Amino acid sequence: MVQSGRIEIDPRWLESYADRVDHAADDLRRVRDAMKHSPLRPESFGEIGRSLGSARGYARAAELLNGQLGRACEVLAAAAKGLHDVAEHYGHHEDDSLARIKKADRR
């Protein structure tokens, strides 16, 4: 939110969003791992698929998708870490400000 030339950060919301990004990365890892453990086999396409070369085409597509899933997992994990770091940074500022206000009130 932009207000009077300032940007306000809600560390709790940011932390919650970082958790959702973490969960999305975990979901993608599970999909990637399932694809690795249960690859398509040439027998899956029958005689016609074998003669048309479907297995090779699908294997190449699966390999490309697996690579993209791996990169997506890395990017999401890095984004989640960055979001957690930002939330922690601004959360500490919020805690420090609250402590200063309480200290000033006691005077």
Side-chain angles (χ1 to χ4, degrees):
M1 167 190 316
V2 177
Q3 193 175 40
S4 304
R6 295 180 340 159
I7 297 175
E8 291 186 22
I9 304 292
D10 181 350
R12 288 178 296 278
W13 182 89
L14 200 54
E15 188 66 36
S16 171
Y17 189 73
D19 288 340
R20 289 195 313 239
V21 173
D22 265 334
H23 293 305
D26 290 340
D27 289 344
L28 279 181
R29 279 188 204 96
R30 281 191 287 280
V31 169
R32 182 196 60 199
D33 292 345
M35 287 179 62
K36 282 183 180 179
H37 296 321
S38 300
L40 292 174
R41 307 223 184 285
E43 307 83 49
S44 303
F45 301 97
E47 185 62 38
I48 293 174
R50 192 170 22 262
S51 64
L52 294 175
S54 298
R56 285 189 307 273
Y58 281 113
R60 281 192 300 261
E63 186 178 318
L64 287 171
L65 181 57
N66 191 37
Q68 290 173 344
L69 280 172
R71 284 188 296 281
C73 291
E74 291 169 9
V75 168
L76 283 174
K81 183 188 178 324
L83 288 168
H84 282 296
D85 291 347
V86 169
E88 181 180 346
H89 173 78
Y90 283 100
H92 286 307
H93 282 291
E94 194 172 87
D95 294 341
D96 291 343
S97 296
L98 184 59
R100 286 184 189 140
I101 290 170
K102 287 180 179 180
K103 185 177 179 181
D105 282 345
R106 283 185 242 140
R107 288 183 185 169

